[in-house]
Amino acid sequence: MALYFSLILHGMSDLFFLSTGYLRASCMMESMELLNQSQVSEFILLGLTSSQDIEFLLFALFSVIYVVTVLGNLLIIVTVFKTPNLNTPMYFLLGNLSFVDMTLASFATPKMILNLLKKQKIISFAECFTQIFLLHLLGGVEMVLLVSMAFDRYVAICKPLHYMTIMNKKVCVLLVVTSWLLGLLHSGLQIPFAVNLPFCGPNVVDSIFCDLPLVTKLACVDTYLVQIVIVANSGIISLSCFIILLISYSLILITIKNHSPTGQSKARSTLTAHITVVILFFGPCIFIYIWPFSNYSVDKFLAVFYTIITPILNPIIYTLRNKEMKISMKKLWRAFVNSREDT
């Protein structure tokens, strides 16, 4: 388990220390030259389309998806922490994943939905960089949480006799805390470089929200090295987590070949849900940062998928494919209805 996270941490820290000195020096020199120039106080987002009719349709669609996402993930959180039968490491991690998904859906979606009703989509400098910080923080947290969930399934299937010993309460809490610390590190390594860049002219972002590669491109200095650090940082955490997940699930699939048909069926059902979420989460993320600025229309679609569609997949996939979760939700709903009737 320690090896999983040390690989990610080692790669990110090496990248940071190698690039920090040179980038700070070069950015400081160019920033001093532009210090007396006027600074950009806000950015203009171009959004998805210029058609007002399409924007009204998207407003209705995204509003429904957002409400379902928040309520669905909130229902998972309440069910996990209110049902004694779900007091297991897997569901503890799933509840935390739902919280991250709910937050990920809320950092930019409400403003983006409101912007669909506005002709000019303006976001302040502070709001823009807050969005960027939260995007990379929550994205990093979710990646490491997915690795933690893969580790949990690996121990449960490959080392069942030692499962409760290895995945005890302290380890589960440590995995969640580690995911937040690595997410904070991932976001914190990039934001200082970008926020200190001089923005003195262009302020139009061709996207639905502020994303770091697009915003840094608007700076009044050459940001080639900064963009390399951004892509490399995001690429390291994305690819390293994805490779670890592939190795983990490959080992699990090899192990379940020796199980009984019933055990294989149950394990495959659980793994299918996990692998589906992993592919749908990492796919857009890796594409954006391996091929940045390749096609703005594709990037916009992936941005919508990443911030609006992906967070709703967690409640849909884990609920519809999990009988234990569905039974617990029905019991919780009956208990709620009965309590209302009694009052």
Side-chain angles (χ1 to χ4, degrees):
M1 180 181 65
L3 180 62
Y4 278 17
F5 300 110
S6 64
L7 288 172
I8 303 170
L9 183 61
H10 182 69
M12 292 171 63
S13 59
D14 282 352
L15 173 68
F16 175 67
F17 289 117
L18 286 171
S19 58
T20 300
Y22 184 78
L23 278 174
R24 280 184 177 173
S26 59
C27 287
M28 186 177 295
M29 289 176 64
E30 293 186 74
S31 297
M32 289 295 291
E33 295 175 4
L34 297 163
L35 190 62
N36 294 326
Q37 298 186 25
S38 59
Q39 293 292 307
V40 169
S41 60
E42 61 186 22
F43 295 97
I44 299 172
L45 303 173
L46 293 184
L48 289 172
T49 177
S50 58
S51 172
Q52 198 168 19
D53 293 334
I54 295 177
E55 285 190 331
F56 277 123
L57 289 174
L58 292 175
F59 171 81
L61 177 62
F62 290 167
S63 297
V64 171
I65 293 175
Y66 175 68
V67 171
V68 172
T69 298
V70 172
L71 293 179
N73 281 293
L74 187 60
L75 181 59
I76 288 179
I77 295 170
V78 173
T79 303
V80 167
F81 291 101
K82 284 287 186 179
T83 307
N85 293 340
L86 301 183
N87 188 21
T88 63
M90 184 182 82
Y91 290 109
F92 175 77
L93 294 173
L94 177 59
N96 280 276
L97 182 67
S98 291
F99 173 77
V100 174
D101 275 331
M102 187 171 62
T103 312
L104 183 64
S106 302
F107 86 93
T109 306
K111 184 172 184 63
M112 185 187 69
I113 291 173
L114 291 175
N115 280 341
L116 290 170
L117 301 177
K118 299 177 181 178
K119 289 185 178 180
Q120 198 170 26
K121 303 163 179 59
I122 296 174
I123 183 170
S124 69
F125 187 91
E127 279 184 295
C128 182
F129 278 93
T130 300
Q131 280 190 358
I132 293 171
F133 175 80
L134 291 175
L135 173 64
H136 288 271
L137 168 66
L138 297 169
V141 172
E142 180 146 353
M143 289 178 193
V144 182
L145 267 180
L146 289 172
V147 172
S148 301
M149 294 176 73
F151 176 75
D152 170 74
R153 290 301 84 203
Y154 168 78
V155 176
I157 295 172
C158 300
K159 301 179 183 295
L161 297 178
H162 303 284
Y163 178 62
M164 293 311 298
T165 303
I166 297 174
M167 294 301 295
N168 57 61
K169 190 69 174 178
K170 288 183 179 179
V171 171
C172 292
V173 172
L174 179 63
L175 288 172
V176 173
V177 172
T178 301
S179 68
W180 281 96
L181 290 176
L182 287 175
L184 185 63
L185 177 65
H186 165 61
S187 186
L189 291 181
Q190 303 179 92
I191 300 302
F193 294 126
V195 77
N196 289 318
L197 289 172
F199 296 92
C200 52
N203 67 337
V204 178
V205 180
D206 190 10
S207 185
I208 57 173
F209 60 84
C210 287
D211 195 12
L212 196 53
L214 295 176
V215 173
T216 54
K217 197 178 180 184
L218 300 176
C220 301
V221 295
D222 183 10
T223 58
Y224 178 74
L225 290 175
V226 176
Q227 290 178 33
I228 288 177
V229 171
I230 292 169
V231 173
N233 189 327
S234 299
I236 284 173
I237 189 171
S238 301
L239 285 173
S240 58
C241 286
F242 190 63
I243 290 170
I244 291 170
L245 287 167
L246 287 178
I247 294 171
S248 300
Y249 288 127
S250 298
L251 291 174
I252 294 171
L253 289 172
I254 293 170
T255 303
I256 64 175
K257 287 182 179 180
N258 301 321
H259 288 198
S260 64
T262 305
Q264 286 185 24
S265 177
K266 186 177 180 181
R268 283 200 182 105
S269 178
T270 303
L271 288 178
T272 300
H274 283 255
I275 293 171
T276 302
V277 170
V278 166
I279 292 173
L280 292 174
F281 180 83
F282 279 91
C285 184
I286 292 174
F287 186 91
I288 289 173
Y289 286 99
I290 289 182
W291 293 282
F293 314 117
S294 56
N295 188 317
Y296 285 114
S297 60
V298 173
D299 285 349
K300 285 183 181 182
F301 170 76
L302 292 175
V304 170
F305 188 86
Y306 186 73
T307 55
I308 298 178
I309 306 300
T310 299
I312 201 176
L313 295 176
N314 185 16
I316 291 175
I317 293 173
Y318 284 113
T319 303
L320 295 180
R321 297 190 60 87
N322 192 313
K323 292 181 181 179
E324 196 173 10
M325 178 66 76
K326 286 190 284 187
I327 292 170
S328 298
M329 284 182 173
K330 288 177 182 178
K331 288 181 179 178
L332 194 66
W333 176 253
R334 289 196 198 103
F336 174 75
V337 172
N338 292 336
S339 65
R340 297 281 293 180
E341 289 177 353
D342 292 339
T343 56

